[in-house]
Amino acid sequence: MMLSRAARPALRAGVAAASARPATLSTPNAATYATLREIEGRLKSIRNIEKITKTMKIVASTKLTRAQKAMTESRSYGQTSNAVFENAETKALEGEDKKTLIVICSSDKGLCGGIHSGMSRRTRALLAESPNTDLVVIGEKCKAQLGRSNGKNMQLSFAGIGKDVPTFADAAAIADQITLLPTDYSSIQIMYNKFLNAQSYEPVIVEAFSEEAIKESANFAAFEIDDEILPSLREYALANALYWGLAEGHACEQSARRNAMDNASKNAGDMINKFQILFNRTRQAVITGELVEIITGAAASEEG
Amino acid sequence: MAFAWKAAGLTYNRYVSVASRVVRRSLKEDKRIAAERRGESDLRFAKWENGKQGENKNLNAANESAIAEQASQ
């Protein structure tokens, strides 16, 4: 999309130059050869861009298979952990004085369509509802977007994610750092892009509950959990949920990048076709012009 | 039920990661290399105060120093 939009004025300039050519027929050689060469140069650069986007698409496709595998594996982590809270019927504590923390799972890399800004937009909508919410952002992209508009709410930001498939060690380290935060949050919401299918994603939220919320849950007695193990369970549940979110977000990102690069290659192909036709026509016009000149010249000299 | 690692200031996640590192290291050579890649984590983080980003720090080093701090208390 972006590539085609950026290059479109150039296309128009090319067309304009071609149509303006008969007007500057007094110096035909200088004008036509310049436009021909211009079109050739532009064609070459678009071909290069197409090559690059195609390669990026192939890279993203290869990474996508691995990312999807990691996603399906990580789902079992998150769902098993969630099953405990579902059976215990845990609910987030309702209280005015307690703060909420939103953890946003984005990544460091761009060139993958609007999946990062989709999450930023959702976060901003949530913040507009309850401004007293803190943010933890994983990944440079959302950090840059949210740091500008909601810098006051930011507590922590993490970078270095998204180079490879996220590991559980990543999630555990992030979870530890979040538990070290001084404020006591009533609920921690983890936002990530849910992988609906290869074309669509949507930012969704999973909850990681606080110790009190787990203790208050309706069916808590079903599990024989000692008070001392409770913080451990909470930390581990947070790490599980984070791992799930990171892995699924990663898969979405790769898939979005694949699509974005696919579209970019397609657009580049379209442009190459258009420029090729323009190039051929211009060349033909130059040749015809030259022929006309030679013939008229010859005819004039014969008569004389 | 008191745990020794809890008394030493480790979090459960830290405890699990140490345990999993030991298991990974005791695997056979060919399996070990693949498994150890799953335990890698190289993240940086920054604390934000009043809308300003703080210094970028290595996450694992910060976690270790936090644990050491808690243990000494």
Side-chain angles (χ1 to χ4, degrees), chain A residues 9-25 28 31-36 38-39 42 275 278 282 285:
Chain A
L11 178 73
R12 236 179 275 133
V15 173
S19 60
R21 200 178 39 80
T24 55
L25 215 64
T32 42
Y33 284 137
T35 35
L36 258 186
E38 240 169 50
I39 295 168
R42 203 143 282 155
F275 269 93
L278 180 66
T282 319

Side-chain angles (χ1 to χ4, degrees), chain A residues 39-40 43 100 104 106 119 141 151 158 168 205-206 221 230 278 281 288:
Chain A
I39 295 168
E40 208 180 356
L43 253 176
T100 313
I104 297 135
S106 91
M119 275 203 284
K141 283 288 154 190
F158 295 89
F168 191 78
I205 285 171
V206 289
L230 203 58
L278 180 66
R281 285 221 180 115
T288 321

Side-chain angles (χ1 to χ4, degrees), chain A residues 213-235:
Chain A
I214 299 173
K215 220 184 272 180
E216 301 274 306
S217 49
N219 215 353
F220 180 61
F223 297 93
E224 292 176 0
I225 301 175
D226 287 331
D227 281 359
E228 277 183 53
I229 314 177
L230 203 58
S232 305
L233 172 70
R234 187 198 148 219
E235 283 160 17

Side-chain angles (χ1 to χ4, degrees), chain A residues 3-14:
Chain A
L3 286 176
S4 75
R5 206 180 297 146
R8 208 156 282 157
L11 178 73
R12 236 179 275 133

Side-chain angles (χ1 to χ4, degrees), chain A residues 1-8 49 53 264-265 267-268 271:
Chain A
M1 267 281 276
M2 241 167 63
L3 286 176
S4 75
R5 206 180 297 146
R8 208 156 282 157
I49 291 170
T53 51
S265 309
N267 287 344
M271 281 174 74

Side-chain angles (χ1 to χ4, degrees), chain B residues 12-62:
Chain B
Y12 182 69
N13 286 326
R14 192 79 205 155
Y15 169 69
V16 167
S17 72
V18 170
S20 54
R21 196 167 66 210
V22 171
V23 175
R24 284 196 192 106
R25 282 193 185 160
S26 43
L27 284 169
K28 269 189 174 178
E29 192 70 22
D30 52 332
K31 300 253 167 61
R32 198 197 65 189
I33 292 156
E36 272 188 345
R37 285 186 58 204
R38 286 198 290 272
E40 277 169 10
S41 151
D42 184 28
L43 294 182
R44 279 161 291 119
F45 83 106
K47 279 204 167 86
W48 288 60
E49 263 167 43
N50 296 323
K52 287 271 175 299
Q53 187 185 355
E55 202 187 332
N56 252 331
K57 280 178 278 188
N58 186 296
L59 182 59
N60 288 333

Side-chain angles (χ1 to χ4, degrees), chain A:
Chain A
M1 267 281 276
M2 241 167 63
L3 286 176
S4 75
R5 206 180 297 146
R8 208 156 282 157
L11 178 73
R12 236 179 275 133
V15 173
S19 60
R21 200 178 39 80
T24 55
L25 215 64
S26 51
T27 51
N29 284 2
T32 42
Y33 284 137
T35 35
L36 258 186
R37 201 164 297 158
E38 240 169 50
I39 295 168
E40 208 180 356
R42 203 143 282 155
L43 253 176
K44 224 178 241 171
S45 79
I46 299 168
R47 280 216 182 94
N48 279 339
I49 291 170
E50 193 199 22
K51 254 182 228 160
I52 293 167
T53 51
K54 252 188 193 155
T55 320
M56 284 170 94
K57 184 193 148 191
I58 292 163
V59 172
S61 304
T62 342
K63 280 191 178 168
L64 176 65
T65 6
R66 279 209 299 151
Q68 267 180 319
K69 217 176 116 205
M71 179 183 78
T72 17
E73 278 165 8
S74 76
R75 258 188 195 154
S76 52
Y77 280 78
Q79 276 163 354
T80 317
S81 157
N82 270 1
V84 176
F85 299 121
E86 264 164 37
N87 288 329
E89 288 164 25
T90 311
K91 284 187 194 74
L93 283 185
E94 302 269 325
E96 291 295 306
D97 52 331
K98 286 285 195 176
K99 281 187 118 181
T100 313
L101 180 77
I102 304 181
V103 185
I104 297 135
C105 301
S106 91
S107 93
D108 282 1
K109 287 186 180 165
L111 284 179
C112 49
I115 67 164
H116 296 314
S117 38
M119 275 203 284
S120 298
R121 216 175 301 135
R122 179 84 195 273
T123 316
R124 283 193 195 120
L126 286 173
L127 282 174
E129 273 171 34
S130 51
N132 199 20
T133 308
D134 281 348
L135 295 178
V136 168
V137 177
I138 306 166
E140 295 277 350
K141 283 288 154 190
C142 273
K143 186 194 88 179
Q145 288 166 354
L146 290 168
R148 247 180 287 129
S149 59
N150 303 87
K152 289 260 185 290
N153 301 77
M154 298 273 281
Q155 287 293 324
L156 286 174
S157 70
F158 295 89
I161 202 86
K163 280 180 213 144
D164 214 333
V165 176
T167 60
F168 191 78
D170 288 336
I174 293 169
D176 274 0
Q177 199 51 238
I178 290 172
T179 32
L180 282 175
L181 280 175
T183 329
D184 189 20
Y185 296 103
S186 67
S187 82
I188 298 177
Q189 304 187 321
I190 296 161
M191 187 191 288
Y192 64 94
N193 273 307
K194 192 175 169 63
F195 192 92
L196 296 176
N197 55 47
Q199 294 288 330
S200 56
Y201 335 94
E202 65 172 6
V204 293
I205 285 171
V206 289
E207 292 252 2
F209 300 101
S210 65
E211 282 160 48
E212 293 109 71
I214 299 173
K215 220 184 272 180
E216 301 274 306
S217 49
N219 215 353
F220 180 61
F223 297 93
E224 292 176 0
I225 301 175
D226 287 331
D227 281 359
E228 277 183 53
I229 314 177
L230 203 58
S232 305
L233 172 70
R234 187 198 148 219
E235 283 160 17
Y236 190 53
L238 179 62
N240 275 330
L242 271 173
Y243 179 56
W244 184 18
L246 283 174
E248 191 143 344
H250 183 74
C252 283
E253 189 198 322
Q254 293 302 348
S255 153
R257 178 168 297 125
R258 205 199 79 94
N259 289 338
M261 289 303 131
D262 193 28
N263 287 339
S265 309
K266 249 185 228 155
N267 287 344
D270 285 354
M271 281 174 74
I272 287 172
N273 280 342
K274 270 185 201 155
F275 269 93
Q276 193 70 60
I277 291 165
L278 180 66
F279 178 75
N280 289 347
R281 285 221 180 115
T282 319
R283 199 186 53 186
Q284 200 56 52
V286 171
I287 293 167
T288 321
E290 275 173 5
L291 272 177
V292 168
E293 272 165 30
I294 293 166
I295 292 164
T296 26
S301 59
E302 241 170 56
E303 272 171 28

